[in-house]
Amino acid sequence: MRASLNWLKEYVDIDLTPVELADVLTMAGLEVESVIKIEEDLSHVVVGKVLSIKSHPNADKLSLCQVSIGDGTFPVVCGARNMKVGDKVPLALEGALLPNSMKIRKAGIRGEPSEGMMCSEEELGIGEDASGIMILEDDLVLGMDIVSALNLEDHVFDLNITPNRPDCLSIAGLAREVAAVTGKALKIPSIEVREEDGRVHDLTSVDVRDPELCPRYSARLISDVAIGPAPFWIRRRLESVGVRPICNVVDVTNYVLMAFGQPLHAFDFDLLSEKRIVVKRAKDGDTFATLDGLERTLQGDALMICDGEKPVAIGGIMGGLNSEVSVTTSNVLIESAYFDPSNIRKTSKKLGLQTEASYRFERGVDPEGVINALNITTRMIADLCDGKVAQGIIDQYPSPFLPKEIPLSIRRTNKILGTSLEKERVGRYLKAIELDNKNLDRDKLIVRVPPLRVDLNREIDLIEEVARLNGYDNIPTTTPLARVTSGRRSSAWVAEDKVKDVLISLGYYEVVNYSFISPKLITSLGVDVNHPFHKFIRIKNPLSEEQSIMRTTLIPGLLRTMKTNVYNKNSDLKLFEIGTVFFPNEEDKLPIEKRMLSALVTGLRYVEAWNFSGDEIDYYDIKGSLENLFRALDIRGCNFSCAGDIPYLHPGKSSTIMIGDTQIGFVGEVHSEVLENHDLSKTAHIFEIDFDLLVKHAFSEKKINLLSKYPPIYRDMALIVKEDVQSIDIYDAIIGCNNSLVKEILVFDVYEGEPIASGEKSLAYRIKYQSFKRTLTDQEVNKAHKKLVSKVLEDMGARIR
Amino acid sequence: MKEELEKLFGEALGNLKVAGEESQVTQVRTEFLGRKGKITALLRGLANVSPEQRPIVGRLANEIKLSLEEKIRESLASIQARKRKERLLHEKLDITLPGRRVPTGRKHPISEVCNEVIEIFLGLGFQISEGPEIESDYYNFEALNIPKDHPARDMHDTFYISDEILLRTHTSPVQIRLMEKQEPPIQIIAPGKVFRCDSDVSHTPMFHQVEGLMVGDNITFGDLKGILTIFLHEMFGAKTKVRFRPSFFPFTEPSAEVDIACVMCQGNGCRVCSSSGWMEILGAGMVDPEVFRIVGYNPNEVVGFAFGLGIERIAMLKYGISDIRLFFENDMRFLGQF
Ligand SMILES: [Zn+2]
């Protein structure tokens, strides 16, 4: 909300600077987001008075005027005709530079001297009216500079009023707070309405059919109003708080809305059928044209203001075109009402229509302030539009709101705040914000809260007011008594830290991608509609299609990150992410959330340099990272088996990752088609692992083996096997020999090509033999090794190279 | 014979002095001490010396032999040392060439800051608690005293999955889930992702929060100030000015917004802090009795406080980042700087 300092000063004395006032408001819970200084550079423009007007001898359309500024009179040649002798006008004298860049100089116009210029609002840059010279209020002092004469200098506060404080959504409401915290008196003027002939009850009637949704409806009637622009000061004020001026009657209702927080509406009385008001619910599907020119479809719970036959406004939200005040209007009915907040909010949400009125009604206006606002509005319209006010007020208010009486325990106040405030002091604080209170017993006060304060309903609400008025800064800063707790992190957190540390030490960068992605990215993986990745959850109101589904895999995000970086000429990447993926669940249940660990590597293993060769990363790099990871997490029994049918991976260069019988993820080269779908030309390798399963198998207990005191003996064996034999098969065959002396098996060479025949390959193993009991002799190791080799040859159909 | 011995000794020392190579030194040994060496030869004539003189000459001969051996060893050692020195001087590396550094990665700045926050609170006796990222309307709003059709819902631009299921807009639902299944005392923090449909330089539709909750029977607003002041001093330095000002959250009362003196201008006022000298850093308050009632606690017996802070916000202040979207673009030129 915006508030003008000049306007505020009308209701409360302020001797603080704008910055100090902003600080006071902020520390009282009314956060000032910014203070904007409004200034007009209009030096050499002063208040003048037209002494005479003669026609210009050489030009029909111009006139010669004498304009006085009190201690001097200037001849002015002028093209406008709206001023008359005796009018006060803004006079720009020599040296003035107007906002439209016009420089004022003494000059001759068609042979007549002209020493200044009378200006329109538009020429002064302070309003839109360009139709003629601006005519000033008669009581302004001649010669006064225009900026102070029109009070053009101001400060506007941009406030962030929290939803609990609708009472502060007005200048007077803010003034009340300023008065409370600065100790100054509030100066809300009392208003008297001059009523003339005709009784309102004879001329019209109001029938509230739904008092639950409309607990109070009041109205007055003003006849013979002259519609035109509102006076400059009203328009200026409205503009300062961001409201566009329309015409005098509407501007007054908006002025009172901004000043006192009560939304009002003016109907063209002659457009109301049967000259009466009926307040009732809409019929489902009714349509209605609102003031903004849109045709709106209503639902049955919208509250409508109707005349004898049709709706004329959506109650508390917006008026209708069919009863709008216009230049032809001469009689107006002014509505001031209180509507049920939650119903206003519902209707406003359904219509997607939020107005200054609905914003206040849905938060709650002061039901007891309805009549005062109506009277101020009426009086201002009568004064400014020459209207005649009918006698009496219509006020449908069957069950008045009563002040709430809330007990407040001082002991509890101090217990919650950690203070030691005395009862008298608490009572004083509350009185400062117009909350009457008296002693209930030794400990308690009974506090009377006017309906205006919709946020104060319980003891705790009053405790907050006490804290606020005492100042949060004045509440002692303490620390709670310590309790001894076990502060260990859960194993998931420890595992996450460890995983990150391992991957980072292996050169991986952590990335964080959005949890929502485009459904196209799932399709880009080449998976069919039955694949689990396709069972995604849609967001009902996404920001864009690009972010419209919850991710079912982290891979698309990593591919996107790869693309971003390749585009920026970073093509050697090692990335990982730990994040949640989402899958649908049974109806009425929350979706299934799984935490995944995924990684992507692409480009060179190491950037080529004097000390590194520039080799491309391959499958064994990413597999090695995983092996390191499992080692760090003490995960045993992990193996990689052929994947073959994972659509987004290379069929020959991919595997599933198993721990025992449980599949925990996959690893492999990204399928070239997927890369093409992402406009990527370089190959990449990825893995994705179910992080929760990983954690489940992590940190298995360790038993440390004794160290052998006896030396090991190594023996090599180079085999020639069919090319589709996997190294794991030979490994298994060696283990299958059940020789307890075999302590380590190392593949030290893999070779295909000359002189090995095509269709075959050579694998070479180094086997470590060692005993815990004695030093092995060459002889016995030779014997054991020979036996082992012949068994492996037999099992694998291999031969010695 | 004595004189002859001394003369040979002198001659041998002279030879050693000019010996520059190991071979020349060993040559001295052979020449004087070898089986056919000059000293050895001379000593063969020891038998001819008078019996009274014999022990004296014998001792002298021994001394000379030992001394010469010693000199030979010294000479060898010094020649070897000189040669090693010469060799090492030739083995000089260009030590300014870059090392064989296996490049390491980095944590994402959000993880980094999040961990820092967590560490501070773990140190204060808090434990970590977590909850789902997709939540029900009940846990995200209603149980936190934000009924449907309440204007406070305007404070959260919510992504919906269905009428009742949504992407959590804050980590506060974790409070409710925990209190539902655990009796006080409670002292937890809940880090995690949250979502709001908003996107510009200072908003991303996803960001990270850490929620805190402390519930017991003797916890005060003063304690809330104390804990958060300790946290902010740990995070931003012990001299950081902190202020608490009234605000509104439906699930806390009294509620507070916590500011620190602007890190850009040290509180003098600049563009970043809209001239106020302060920067909003977190929201907090005493848990509203209504929330206690909803989770089945007795609001007359338990008190507590809750707070919530944005990780990106802290990271932006710490590292001087002005565009929040950078965190989620994962551009290596950005990530590589941390
Ligand atoms: Zn600043």
Side-chain angles (χ1 to χ4, degrees), chain A residues 196-408:
Chain A
E196 306 202 19
D197 288 347
R199 294 180 52 232
V200 71
H201 289 95
D202 298 338
L203 298 166
T204 185
S205 69
V206 170
D207 176 9
V208 178
R209 302 246 173 101
D210 201 325
E212 216 170 284
L213 298 189
C214 178
R216 188 171 199 178
Y217 195 103
S218 69
R220 271 190 184 267
L221 213 52
I222 311 166
S223 54
D224 295 334
V225 295
I227 303 292
F232 174 75
W233 64 273
I234 289 190
R235 287 183 281 128
R236 178 83 182 169
R237 286 229 163 132
L238 288 179
E239 281 173 343
S240 74
V241 297
V243 177
R244 202 169 56 86
I246 295 168
C247 70
N248 47 11
V249 169
V250 175
D251 290 354
V252 167
T253 60
N254 283 333
Y255 182 87
V256 175
L257 164 66
M258 290 299 160
F260 300 99
Q262 170 66 45
L264 299 128
H265 187 64
F267 295 99
D268 184 328
F269 187 57
D270 300 310
L271 295 177
L272 298 181
S273 294
E274 302 173 17
K275 307 261 189 239
R276 66 195 184 95
I277 292 288
V278 179
V279 182
K280 60 182 186 190
R281 287 173 194 244
K283 283 205 281 293
D284 258 343
D286 274 358
T287 58
F288 181 69
T290 40
L291 277 175
D292 53 8
L294 295 179
E295 185 85 3
R296 302 189 180 263
T297 306
L298 301 160
Q299 288 178 12
D301 47 10
L303 189 71
M304 303 303 289
I305 313 303
C306 307
D307 60 13
E309 59 186 26
K310 60 181 187 299
V312 289
I314 304 174
I317 299 178
M318 195 181 261
L321 281 175
N322 60 8
S323 55
E324 186 184 10
V325 169
S326 69
V327 279
T328 61
T329 301
S330 61
N331 303 311
V332 291
L333 181 142
I334 309 295
E335 164 202 290
S336 179
Y338 176 88
F339 297 106
D340 172 59
S342 93
N343 189 258
I344 292 287
R345 182 168 170 88
K346 255 185 237 168
T347 305
S348 154
K349 279 268 150 187
K350 275 182 189 156
L351 293 173
L353 177 61
Q354 193 179 60
T355 58
E356 294 283 357
S358 73
Y359 189 80
R360 285 168 178 76
F361 278 128
E362 70 177 31
R363 282 161 173 72
V365 302
D366 177 13
E368 291 294 300
V370 164
I371 297 297
N372 190 42
L374 178 63
N375 284 339
I376 295 170
T377 310
T378 306
R379 169 70 190 269
M380 285 177 75
I381 292 176
D383 287 355
L384 299 171
C385 317
D386 297 327
K388 297 191 188 72
V389 180
Q391 289 169 19
I393 299 183
I394 291 178
D395 185 14
Q396 302 290 5
Y397 191 26
S399 15
F401 285 75
L402 298 172
K404 296 164 267 191
E405 304 227 308
I406 306 167
L408 172 63

Side-chain angles (χ1 to χ4, degrees), chain B residues 38-238:
Chain B
K38 290 180 181 165
I39 293 180
T40 320
L42 183 69
L43 286 178
R44 282 205 192 101
L46 196 61
N48 303 331
V49 178
S50 68
E52 323 69 274
Q53 281 292 311
R54 205 175 293 156
I56 299 165
V57 175
R59 203 175 320 121
L60 177 68
N62 238 340
E63 276 168 14
I64 283 178
K65 271 166 80 177
L66 286 173
S67 168
L68 187 55
E69 276 293 350
E70 177 64 27
K71 294 286 178 202
I72 287 170
R73 270 200 303 278
E74 276 173 16
S75 175
L76 273 176
S78 97
I79 288 169
Q80 280 164 356
R82 178 174 51 81
K83 288 204 158 174
R84 174 177 298 159
K85 200 171 165 192
E86 277 167 12
R87 191 177 74 239
L88 293 183
L89 277 174
H90 279 99
E91 289 173 357
K92 198 172 177 188
L93 290 181
D94 176 359
I95 47 88
T96 64
L97 273 172
R100 199 165 284 115
R101 189 178 70 92
V102 177
T104 52
R106 269 278 181 263
K107 266 188 191 154
H108 194 280
I110 287 174
S111 289
E112 202 83 71
V113 172
C114 196
N115 273 7
E116 205 177 331
V117 171
I118 288 172
E119 286 303 329
I120 295 172
F121 282 110
L122 286 181
L124 291 169
F126 285 74
Q127 294 189 314
I128 303 173
S129 187
E130 287 178 284
E133 291 171 27
I134 298 188
E135 262 296 2
S136 64
D137 188 273
Y138 179 78
Y139 284 108
N140 196 74
F141 289 129
E142 281 182 55
L144 288 159
N145 199 24
I146 316 174
K148 292 207 164 74
D149 298 320
H150 193 280
R153 290 218 177 185
D154 285 355
M155 294 163 92
H156 300 244
D157 295 318
T158 312
F159 284 116
Y160 284 94
I161 301 296
S162 68
D163 288 347
E164 292 301 323
I165 295 179
L166 45 82
L167 306 192
R168 67 174 175 190
T169 57
H170 46 184
T171 40
S172 311
V174 180
Q175 288 183 23
I176 304 296
R177 289 182 175 276
L178 192 81
M179 286 193 282
E180 275 183 352
K181 57 173 196 248
Q182 193 181 313
E183 287 296 317
I186 283 177
Q187 195 177 350
I188 55 120
I189 47 167
K193 291 189 167 91
V194 300
F195 307 87
R196 307 232 178 138
C197 34
D198 209 349
S199 186
D200 58 43
V201 187
S202 44
H203 298 91
T204 43
M206 179 184 91
F207 54 100
H208 296 75
Q209 270 190 350
V210 173
E211 180 84 6
L213 176 70
M214 184 165 184
V215 178
D217 46 19
N218 254 324
I219 290 166
T220 67
F221 189 83
D223 295 338
L224 167 64
K225 286 181 68 182
I227 290 280
L228 291 180
T229 304
I230 292 173
F231 164 71
L232 290 169
H233 283 172
E234 290 274 335
M235 198 74 207
F236 293 101

Side-chain angles (χ1 to χ4, degrees), chain A residues 551-603:
Chain A
R551 59 186 178 180
T552 47
T553 163
L554 309 186
I555 299 301
L558 290 175
L559 287 168
R560 203 202 60 127
T561 306
M562 172 177 169
K563 196 173 160 185
T564 306
N565 283 293
V566 168
Y567 182 82
N568 290 320
K569 304 279 178 266
N570 280 312
S571 48
D572 305 322
L573 300 167
K574 288 182 170 181
L575 312 168
F576 78 97
E577 178 170 13
I578 296 176
T580 311
V581 297
F582 307 85
F583 297 98
N585 202 346
E586 290 163 51
E587 217 174 313
D588 299 336
K589 279 198 179 161
L590 290 181
I592 297 163
E593 296 186 10
K594 283 211 262 180
R595 192 130 50 151
M596 306 305 276
L597 160 65
S598 303
L600 180 148
V601 293
T602 180

Side-chain angles (χ1 to χ4, degrees), chain A residues 345-346 415-416 458 461 464 472 475 478 486 489 504 510 512 540-541 565 568 580 593 610-611, chain B residues 99 105-106 108 111 119 127 133-134 149 154 158 160 163 217 221 223 225 253 255 288 330-332:
Chain A
R345 182 168 170 88
K346 255 185 237 168
K415 176 175 157 65
I416 288 179
R458 305 167 298 166
D461 302 329
E464 176 170 58
Y472 283 9
I475 294 175
T478 52
S486 144
R489 292 155 171 250
I504 285 164
E510 185 188 13
V512 179
K540 266 172 72 178
N541 55 332
N565 283 293
N568 290 320
T580 311
E593 296 186 10
W610 77 274
N611 48 2
Chain B
R106 269 278 181 263
H108 194 280
S111 289
E119 286 303 329
Q127 294 189 314
E133 291 171 27
I134 298 188
D149 298 320
D154 285 355
T158 312
Y160 284 94
D163 288 347
D217 46 19
F221 189 83
D223 295 338
K225 286 181 68 182
E253 185 146 23
S255 301
D288 195 295
N330 300 303
D331 188 326
M332 293 304 293

Side-chain angles (χ1 to χ4, degrees), chain A residues 3-15:
Chain A
S4 137
L5 182 59
N6 289 347
W7 202 344
L8 260 178
K9 282 181 172 167
E10 203 166 295
Y11 304 132
V12 62
D13 288 329
I14 293 171
D15 47 22

